Amino acid sequence: MDYKALNATDIKYFENFLNEHQIITDKTSLNKYGRDYTEDLFFEPSAVLIPENVNEISQIMKYCNEHLIPVTPRGSGTGLSGGCLPVKKGIVLSLERFNKILSIDTENYQAIVEPGVINEDLQNKVQAFKMFYPPDPASKGSCTLGGNVAHSSGGPRCVKYGTTRDYVLNLEVVLPNGEIIQTGANVLKNSTGYNLTQLMVGSEGTLGIVTKITLKLLPYPSFNTLLMAAFDSALDACRCVPAILNAGIIPSALEFMDKRGVELSTNSHQIGFDTNQGNAYLLIEVDAFDADYLMPQCEKIYEVLEQHNVKNILIAEDAATKEKFWKIRRSIGEVVKKLSIYKEEDTVVTRGNLPEIYDYINFLSKEYGFDCICYGHAGDGNLHVNILKQNMSDEKWEQELPKAIRLLFEKCKALGGTISGEHGIGLVQKPYLDVVFQPIHFHLMKGIKSIFDPNNILNPDKIFNN
Ligand code: 2HG
Ligand code: ZN
């Protein structure tokens, strides 16, 4: 595709309906819009446009579609697969001013929000009405709901409550040609034609720009207890995961952390926690609407932990200890990334295969001589593997390591899994998509892309090369 480079005439056109604060072209300001949380990647856009309403987005898309100018939508840039990087230059269309919670419906348990609303802001707002929006990415304090929809983002509470996808009822979307559509209806059940709402969820900003999101809410489970279980063997910790579910307990969180991750996180934030309790940890939360239902769940979990050689179990019942344990888990990603250039793999297998994938990660680490830190949503079988470059040679980092990553993904597939549980494919996982998809899959997905975006101007070359 021969895209047109942005020029002064284009900027003049946008100045007809956008004010000076909504058009960014100076290099210093452009810088942040060329990065996200993926490795050390940078792609400078030609300009950033910051629309304030859906009609402005529609006008931008109509013009860019006619003039073959690539447009990359962006929430808050916390993505981990390069999904919002303007790899074909052009325009970054920032949704930062679409930051309003438009309605909270306490009768129908729904919220209508704009895509730039921060995940945790919605969680806190609805909790005041004793309602619950469960999907809680580690970056919930900074990621936007639009970005969560783009990736069907997950987080610790998905093991019990499901991912973003399970809460999206309807979307307002601007298509690449500028048309504005509603994809569904604000109802809990919908079997009316192909599910365009669910097709948009996880499409990583390649099919349309989401401008309104209708979300399902739940009643808020007011009581919870948090356990931190320490193990000598990481495999014992992994083996506990299916056993807890088989004991009839669905924890509201079931997270795995290896020792290095816990050490890094506690040291970096000076958190008082004895990291010599074990080589691996499970962070397990149980919740309930009635406090009396917490201890029976914990007792069953203790039994399972003891059957799997747990070394120590810490119980957090007070808010401060809960906050401390969650800070240890939720900070690992950001702390690890400060340590070294890294590649983050978002492996996902059936949870019974966690021991095997964990074992294989360690085999590859020794075979290819790389250092990695593992943590993640064990309850979902979703293990994040942060591979650290440290003093690895560029040649090895660029030539050898991809071979190890491909083997890791082939193992995931062999274990009934796939190559991304929640971070998406974006730019950096594209080279590995053929591990899990055959030509027919690419044919179908590219067919869908060509229907929505025949000129291929919206977030081009993400997920697969167009
Ligand atoms: C998490 O579960 C996030 O911690 C990953 O999905 C965050 O690795 C990160 O930066
Ligand atoms: Zn995660």
Side-chain angles (χ1 to χ4, degrees):
M1 170 60 72
D2 293 333
Y3 295 109
K4 185 183 86 63
L6 206 70
N7 60 34
T9 311
D10 303 321
I11 299 296
K12 214 135 202 53
Y13 173 77
F14 297 128
E15 285 169 345
N16 291 329
F17 58 95
L18 298 177
N19 66 43
E20 57 181 328
H21 305 297
Q22 292 180 277
I23 302 174
I24 298 177
T25 51
D26 71 285
K27 262 192 170 323
T28 316
S29 313
L30 288 179
N31 190 283
K32 84 164 190 173
Y33 291 96
R35 301 174 191 284
D36 67 0
Y37 284 10
T38 311
E39 301 171 26
D40 54 347
L41 299 176
F42 174 64
F43 295 87
E44 186 181 76
S46 302
V48 175
L49 301 183
I50 310 176
E52 293 176 342
N53 61 60
V54 66
N55 292 321
E56 288 177 356
I57 293 183
S58 175
Q59 269 186 279
I60 292 167
M61 292 314 298
K62 195 169 178 319
Y63 181 85
C64 291
N65 190 44
E66 285 160 8
H67 293 78
L68 299 186
I69 298 169
V71 176
T72 303
R74 179 189 175 93
S76 54
T78 58
L80 292 156
S81 55
C84 70
L85 300 178
V87 296
K88 293 293 183 187
K89 232 173 160 33
I91 285 164
V92 161
L93 190 147
S94 173
L95 281 304
E96 59 198 83
R97 298 224 180 136
F98 279 71
N99 57 4
K100 289 178 283 308
I101 296 174
L102 300 172
S103 73
I104 293 176
D105 178 344
T106 51
E107 184 186 17
N108 295 304
Y109 273 78
Q110 291 182 9
I112 300 179
V113 301
E114 293 185 321
V117 170
I118 301 298
N119 175 292
E120 193 164 38
D121 290 352
L122 177 68
Q123 288 194 31
N124 294 339
K125 183 91 177 175
V126 300
Q127 195 174 325
F129 297 89
K130 293 206 177 312
M131 295 198 288
F132 187 33
Y133 178 68
D136 60 333
S139 54
K140 65 179 181 175
S142 49
C143 63
T144 62
L145 291 166
N148 293 173
V149 167
H151 291 93
S152 189
S153 297
R157 298 218 165 83
C158 296
V159 56
K160 179 169 184 179
Y161 291 103
T163 67
T164 300
R165 176 177 306 287
D166 301 308
Y167 292 84
V168 179
L169 298 176
N170 189 12
L171 297 167
E172 178 184 81
V173 172
V174 180
L175 296 175
N177 66 1
E179 267 187 277
I180 303 168
I181 65 166
Q182 296 293 325
T183 58
N186 296 355
V187 287
L188 295 173
K189 296 175 79 171
N190 190 333
S191 181
T192 319
Y194 290 6
N195 192 331
L196 297 178
T197 302
Q198 287 300 318
L199 177 61
M200 290 303 302
V201 181
S203 62
E204 300 189 25
T206 61
L207 300 181
I209 295 180
V210 171
T211 49
K212 259 196 203 114
I213 309 166
T214 303
L215 293 168
K216 175 176 82 172
L217 302 172
L218 299 178
Y220 186 76
S222 309
F223 303 93
N224 64 61
T225 296
L226 194 57
L227 308 176
M228 178 77 90
F231 294 80
D232 272 339
S233 150
L235 294 183
D236 279 341
C238 291
R239 289 186 190 105
C240 271
V241 174
I244 288 171
L245 278 293
N246 295 339
I249 301 295
I250 305 180
S252 46
L254 181 43
E255 297 288 297
F256 172 88
M257 298 177 281
D258 69 12
K259 180 183 171 95
R260 288 276 308 284
V262 172
E263 280 171 345
L264 281 169
S265 194
T266 47
N267 294 342
S268 162
H269 292 281
Q270 281 91 42
I271 298 171
F273 180 84
D274 172 10
T275 57
N276 292 317
Q277 300 176 61
N279 296 315
Y281 295 82
L282 290 180
L283 186 60
I284 309 166
E285 181 188 79
V286 291
D287 68 5
F289 293 103
D290 177 332
D292 294 344
Y293 287 88
L294 293 177
M295 200 32 82
Q297 294 184 73
C298 290
E299 279 157 7
K300 278 196 180 170
I301 292 172
Y302 296 158
E303 275 170 42
V304 172
L305 296 175
E306 269 134 30
Q307 289 158 6
H308 291 81
N309 312 313
V310 69
K311 261 190 71 191
N312 190 22
I313 305 173
L314 297 171
I315 309 172
E317 285 171 305
D318 63 290
T321 312
K322 289 177 186 175
E323 192 184 335
K324 178 168 88 168
F325 286 178
W326 274 118
K327 184 151 183 75
I328 293 172
R329 167 59 187 88
R330 286 183 179 280
S331 310
I332 298 184
E334 127 220 1
V335 174
V336 168
K337 291 173 172 57
K338 287 191 186 119
L339 206 60
S340 147
I341 290 181
Y342 61 91
K343 283 186 187 299
E344 171 145 22
E345 308 315 328
D346 177 29
T347 67
V348 60
V349 295
T350 50
R351 60 176 140 227
N353 279 320
L354 269 176
E356 205 159 333
I357 197 67
Y358 184 80
D359 225 11
Y360 191 68
I361 290 166
N362 285 293
F363 160 74
L364 288 174
S365 167
K366 292 185 187 71
E367 192 77 7
Y368 282 80
F370 63 75
D371 189 9
C372 66
I373 292 171
C374 294
Y375 55 94
H377 320 289
D380 304 325
N382 182 199
L383 217 47
H384 300 320
V385 185
N386 266 258
I387 300 169
L388 307 178
K389 181 169 191 282
Q390 289 171 322
N391 50 16
M392 193 190 288
S393 71
D394 291 352
E395 198 268 337
K396 194 167 177 201
W397 183 250
E398 280 135 28
Q399 308 304 324
E400 283 304 295
L401 188 64
K403 293 175 191 161
I405 294 171
R406 179 168 282 272
L407 288 170
L408 173 60
F409 287 153
E410 285 169 357
K411 188 73 169 176
C412 287
K413 183 179 185 228
L415 294 174
T418 187
I419 71 172
S420 173
E422 55 180 22
H423 298 166
I425 301 303
L427 176 69
V428 296
Q429 303 302 0
K430 257 192 324 186
Y432 307 105
L433 210 51
D434 66 299
V435 169
V436 288
F437 286 142
Q438 284 75 55
I440 180 61
H441 296 98
F442 288 97
H443 175 68
L444 292 170
M445 291 193 284
K446 290 185 177 183
I448 291 166
K449 170 70 175 173
S450 66
I451 291 282
F452 277 82
D453 181 17
N455 291 340
N456 190 28
I457 56 128
L458 188 56
N459 212 2
D461 273 8
K462 300 288 171 60
I463 304 179
F464 42 74
N465 289 327
N466 305 103

